[in-house]
Amino acid sequence: MPEVADCDEGTPLLRDDASSDDFQDEDYKSRWRSIRVMYFTMFLSSVGFTIVITSIWPYLQKIDDTANASFLGWVVAAYSLGQMVASPIFGVWSNYRPRREPLVCSIFINVSANIYYAYVYLPRTNNKFHMLISRAFVGFGAADISEESEETIDHVAVLTSNVLFFIVMFIFAVFETIATPLSMDMFAWTRKEAVLYNGIIICCIGFESILVFLVVKVASKRFGDRPVLLAGLAIIFCGFFILLPWGNHYPKIQWADLKNNSLVSQVSKATITSNSSLEPTGCPYEQTWCQYTPAIHLAQFISADILIGVGYPACNVMSYTLYSKILGPKPQGVYMGWLTASGSGARTLGPVFVSHVYTILGPRWAFSLICAMVVGAILLLSSVYHRLIAFSVRHGRTTE
């Protein structure tokens, strides 16, 4: 029995040789077709998510003027909450039924929910709650499908990996949620400008991430997975530390427009909303911290984007890679479902956390707490560093 397991472990799923028979060649081609389909699917999913995340705050303000930044956190979190609930369900479903069934079901739910999201402006009332529900169903349909694992594993390493992945996803959820409101408050951008400029920034971060993935592949082979993960966390810490407000320059307060512009004071709120030239810009006076917290400069914002754009993809890919190696060569099952669930939980709590802390206390408190969380992740990784090793290394089949 051990000889069979070793043989299976040493047999690559995707060969480089052409010496097999026709059946094996066809199986090889079929696997690559499946992988390319999944690449394309993930590409479309990522494009759609990027479009939504950059425009969700202006869209929410447009369809329901009662929505505030705190509610934005719940809307963003709804996606991951739906994903967190659905991941174990689809994982168990795929264990007992053909994997095509839950896959088709998830795609159908995802498409239907996105159509619902596109038309949440139609109801006469409670539009923000329609958006909340639609995002939850989009997340439910985006859940990952996993299989059961039958190997004995190091549960401390598994738990630690889940916690680290939770922190990484929590931090990025905070970043992607707060980027648009932060830029509108600090740089007095209009809704249209915020969507455009943040879209350009995220596009650049996407290209940056491609380069990071290529570098990470080489770096992990030379230095190992754990050092790369540790370096990624350190870079993320630097990114959020740079975002901390400094100096004696303060953001433009939104009420100054209403106070100093006699034209605006004579027209109704509805007119202001419908006419983009009179759209109030700056930090809302309801956020009292705007009056005493220094502004974040555009150079700080761009620098933080660049650093987080390097640190996050490195941590993300290393988290998955390290976790899969810890689990072993067999089908990795529900454990992968739980990893997805932990990431979804982080993306549920992150937006809620940052929207409330940012609205009430401001960016200094929000980003200071994130920096403390990253330091905690670095300390946790360092404390269990020796246990985060591959399954084959732990069982003496290979050496590090």
Side-chain angles (χ1 to χ4, degrees), residues 235-350:
I235 294 173
I236 290 176
F237 173 83
C238 294
F240 277 98
F241 187 80
I242 287 175
L243 270 180
L244 293 175
W246 305 99
N248 54 9
H249 175 72
Y250 297 90
K252 174 186 176 184
I253 307 300
Q254 195 174 105
W255 56 260
D257 286 346
L258 302 180
K259 180 179 179 181
N260 299 331
N261 192 326
S262 58
L263 176 62
V264 174
S265 63
Q266 295 173 9
V267 297
S268 66
K269 183 178 180 181
T271 305
I272 295 174
T273 304
S274 61
N275 191 339
S276 60
S277 64
L278 298 177
E279 178 184 333
T281 58
C283 203
Y285 71 91
E286 296 94 344
Q287 298 175 169
T288 56
W289 56 264
C290 296
Q291 302 174 36
Y292 57 82
T293 302
I296 295 173
H297 298 276
L298 183 60
Q300 286 178 268
F301 187 67
I302 298 297
S303 300
D305 288 341
I306 293 173
L307 289 173
I308 295 172
V310 172
Y312 170 71
C315 289
N316 186 282
V317 69
M318 284 299 99
S319 296
Y320 276 113
T321 302
L322 196 56
Y323 191 69
S324 65
K325 290 181 178 179
I326 291 171
L327 294 180
K330 300 301 180 182
Q332 297 176 353
V334 174
Y335 284 105
M336 276 296 183
W338 288 118
L339 185 71
T340 302
S342 67
S344 300
R347 297 183 71 162
T348 300
L349 297 176

Side-chain angles (χ1 to χ4, degrees), residues 2 5 20 52 124 167-169 182 196 236-237 323 325 328 384:
S20 59
V52 169
R124 295 180 180 273
I167 294 174
V168 170
M169 298 305 294
L182 178 69
L196 174 62
I236 290 176
F237 173 83
Y323 191 69
K325 290 181 178 179
V384 295

Side-chain angles (χ1 to χ4, degrees), residues 323-384:
Y323 191 69
S324 65
K325 290 181 178 179
I326 291 171
L327 294 180
K330 300 301 180 182
Q332 297 176 353
V334 174
Y335 284 105
M336 276 296 183
W338 288 118
L339 185 71
T340 302
S342 67
S344 300
R347 297 183 71 162
T348 300
L349 297 176
V352 176
F353 161 82
V354 72
S355 60
H356 283 76
V357 175
Y358 176 82
T359 301
I360 298 171
L361 300 176
R364 177 171 287 168
W365 272 96
F367 300 144
S368 294
L369 292 173
I370 292 299
C371 287
M373 185 174 292
V374 178
V375 170
I378 292 174
L379 294 176
L380 175 62
L381 175 58
S382 301
S383 65
V384 295

Side-chain angles (χ1 to χ4, degrees), residues 3 17 51 76 85 89 92 124 135 149 154 159 163 167 177 189 208 213 221 223 229 246 258 333 336 345 354 364 390:
E3 295 178 359
D17 63 273
I51 292 172
V76 176
V85 171
I89 296 174
V92 173
R124 295 180 180 273
R135 292 302 297 165
S149 173
D154 186 341
L159 179 60
V163 172
I167 294 174
T177 301
W189 288 348
E208 180 188 25
F213 288 136
K221 288 182 178 179
F223 303 106
L229 178 57
W246 305 99
L258 302 180
M336 276 296 183
V354 72
R364 177 171 287 168

Side-chain angles (χ1 to χ4, degrees), residues 45-60 72 75-76 79 114 117-118 131 134-135 138 176 180 195 202:
S45 176
S46 298
V47 169
F49 186 82
T50 302
I51 292 172
V52 169
I53 204 64
T54 55
S55 62
I56 193 169
W57 176 228
Y59 187 29
L60 179 60
L72 170 67
V75 172
V76 176
Y79 173 91
N114 274 293
Y117 175 78
M131 179 181 282
S134 69
R135 292 302 297 165
V138 171
E176 67 184 4
T180 300
V195 172
I202 290 181

Side-chain angles (χ1 to χ4, degrees), residues 21 34 110 191 311 315:
D21 55 27
S34 299
N110 193 278
R191 298 171 189 170
C315 289

